[in-house]
Amino acid sequence: MNQIKDLTNGNIFSQILKLAIPIIATSFVQMAYNMTDMAWLGHVGSSTVSAVGTAAYLTWLGQSLMYITKTGVEVGISQSIGRKDFSGAIKFAQNAVTLSLLISGGYALVIALFATPIVDLFNLNSEFVKQTAVDYLHIVACGMIFTYTNLTFSGIYIGAGNTRTPFWVNAFGLLMNMILDPLLIFGWGDIPAMGAEGAAIATVGSQIAVFALFLYFLLRKRNPLGTTRYIGRLRKSFTNPIFKVGGPVALQSAFFALFAIALARVMIDIAGGDEIPLSVQSIGAQIEALSWMTAIGFSTALGSFTGQNYGAGQWQRIQKGFFITVGIAATVGLISTLLFLFAGTQIFGLFLNAREQHVIDLGVVYLIILGVSQIFMCIEIASTGAFNGIGKAIPPAIIGIAGNFLRIPMAFLLSYGLVEWLPDFTRWIQSDNIPVTGVWWGMTLTSILKGIVLFVWFFFILFRHPNNDHPLPFQNIWIKFIPSRIRQQTIVSKRMTSQTTSLNSEENNKKPGNQ
């Protein structure tokens, strides 16, 4: 087998770091597509940014659907490799690619046919913003089958422990996008200025190039699984595990996108139809992606690491990998918090003209509010990778969906009922903008809640799992707070499992073939 990395032996910290760095770099490359568009379009005007930001919710929703195949193939391949079932790893890859082509093609068709009524749901006042968003979506839909299938191709490499190839392939696409963006947005020579449509064409063109390069590597060079056949007949024995693991992840991300769309609608209503807060949130989300994309990189690395060790039954390495990754993610969150609190003006000013200072000031407030929750958000994301690795994707989905849904009623509560309790930020904004900040406070408070709950949930999985006999950090201190009944049940369960394993081992040793 080619390009497969064994993660069941060796130094845990270095393995996770080596896995994560290319994934993070790849995530930054993917994020840079949007940031490059926003940076250039910001010089066209905030209305154009609002239009592309509105369309981005729909592309985000489509990307969420592709987590079915991306996450499913990562975990399926990594667990198969941990069990030394290389034939199964190939079958997972074939089923995931076939599914990704079907799902992305269907979603692209829906967007192409219904872009106008979908954009109308945002209730935007500006006809320019609405029409620009529709035009942008029509162009982007033409390339969705390439854009979204590229995610599955990346998942194949990541599941096999090869995270470098997806980085270099996506970096090539980013370079193309950075070259094409200013040429098509502002025009040059005989090329007319196309604004948002030019940004869409640049993105589609670069993603087609990435797709072609992935095919070249998969079929000719750096083949991760030693096969040239990546499309095949769908089989329930492989599609079911893909949906079981990837489905909850996709569902969580899709609901996140849907709730974000609903929240954007709520925010526009709170702002009286003014699209500036939506523009601020669109840019702010790209900036905030610096932290959560980094956390996702470590989360994905942890998922692959955990998957192989879960397949090999090595719970001690799973536990160590979890705490190492969560510690790294929390550090990333802390750094992001400091940057958001103390360098907001400089960061947000990179995306807008200086003449739109009032928009920049509102953006600074956005970063301050979201900066409060960065550590907890990164912990939540890292913990999700651990759940995915052991094939339990439902708990993160439950916490994620519930927490994100909670943002909508909290937006109303904070923006209307408790608006007088909100900080006024008089240094940056006027009193008329204070209700809008209630939406952002709801986002940050729910992020804190999700991070705490998900971390504690996996913590107790480690504590109660019968195959994990390695003591947890500071166990002698916090174990005193666990009710004695639960503590006793856990001890008995572990003892019974240990005795059963010992008896099975003795019986195997007594067999004639083992004498």
Side-chain angles (χ1 to χ4, degrees), residues 331-381:
T331 302
V332 170
L334 176 60
I335 294 171
S336 300
T337 294
L338 296 176
L339 287 173
F340 289 1
L341 293 179
F342 300 107
T345 301
Q346 292 79 3
I347 294 173
F348 219 91
L350 297 173
F351 295 86
L352 290 168
N353 287 322
R355 65 175 180 271
E356 296 187 290
Q357 186 61 45
H358 63 294
V359 183
I360 295 175
D361 290 340
L362 189 58
V364 171
V365 173
Y366 174 92
L367 292 181
I368 291 173
I369 295 173
L370 271 294
V372 175
S373 62
Q374 293 301 295
I375 294 175
F376 300 93
M377 180 192 70
C378 290
I379 290 175
E380 175 204 353
I381 293 171

Side-chain angles (χ1 to χ4, degrees), residues 31-43:
M31 178 190 70
Y33 279 102
N34 295 327
M35 293 191 72
T36 300
D37 288 348
M38 290 295 182
W40 287 115
L41 292 172
H43 293 282

Side-chain angles (χ1 to χ4, degrees), residues 289-305:
L290 292 169
S291 57
W292 61 261
M293 280 291 189
T294 303
I296 284 177
F298 282 105
S299 176
T300 306
L302 180 60
S304 184
F305 172 87

Side-chain angles (χ1 to χ4, degrees), residues 103-327:
I103 296 172
S104 61
Y107 186 76
L109 185 62
V110 170
I111 293 298
L113 293 177
F114 302 105
T116 299
I118 292 173
V119 170
D120 286 340
L121 294 175
F122 285 87
N123 197 29
L124 298 166
N125 287 343
S126 172
E127 287 297 325
F128 171 81
V129 172
K130 287 193 290 187
Q131 189 57 49
T132 301
V134 170
D135 294 340
Y136 182 90
L137 284 172
H138 281 153
I139 297 171
V140 169
C142 297
M144 283 181 174
I145 195 169
F146 305 102
T147 303
Y148 296 153
T149 302
N150 289 339
L151 296 174
T152 302
F153 288 156
S154 294
I156 292 172
Y157 279 100
I158 292 169
N162 177 358
T163 57
R164 293 184 179 181
T165 298
F167 164 69
W168 290 114
V169 173
N170 284 286
F172 171 77
L174 172 63
L175 181 62
M176 276 195 63
N177 192 66
M178 293 178 68
I179 294 172
L180 292 175
D181 252 350
L183 293 179
L184 299 179
I185 291 173
F186 300 105
W188 184 71
D190 294 332
I191 301 174
M194 290 182 277
E197 293 181 12
I201 294 171
T203 298
V204 171
S206 59
Q207 284 299 306
I208 292 175
V210 168
F211 183 86
L213 196 56
F214 262 129
L215 285 182
Y216 171 74
F217 281 136
L218 285 168
L219 302 179
R220 294 292 187 95
K221 194 176 181 182
R222 300 185 187 179
N223 191 318
L225 298 175
T227 182
T228 57
R229 185 180 176 186
Y230 284 95
I231 297 178
R233 182 171 62 88
L234 297 178
R235 300 183 181 183
K236 286 185 178 180
S237 56
F238 294 96
T239 57
N240 286 350
I242 287 174
F243 276 101
K244 181 180 178 181
V245 175
V249 178
L251 194 65
Q252 178 186 355
S253 185
F255 270 106
F256 190 23
L258 290 172
F259 291 148
I261 292 172
L263 203 60
R265 170 66 186 269
V266 169
M267 185 172 60
I268 290 172
D269 289 343
I270 292 172
D274 185 3
E275 73 271 7
I276 287 179
L278 178 60
S279 178
V280 166
Q281 185 162 305
S282 298
I283 296 173
Q286 301 301 322
I287 296 171
E288 192 188 8
L290 292 169
S291 57
W292 61 261
M293 280 291 189
T294 303
I296 284 177
F298 282 105
S299 176
T300 306
L302 180 60
S304 184
F305 172 87
T306 302
Q308 283 198 26
N309 284 282
Y310 180 77
Q314 299 198 38
W315 275 87
Q316 181 175 343
R317 288 178 63 82
I318 291 173
Q319 177 176 308
K320 288 182 178 179
F322 172 70
F323 286 109
I324 288 172
T325 307
V326 166

Side-chain angles (χ1 to χ4, degrees), residues 472-492:
L472 292 161
F474 308 107
Q475 180 167 313
N476 292 334
I477 298 176
W478 57 260
I479 199 173
K480 297 176 182 178
F481 298 96
I482 299 177
S484 58
R485 179 178 58 83
I486 297 176
R487 202 185 321 163
Q488 188 64 29
Q489 287 176 349
T490 302
I491 294 171
V492 171

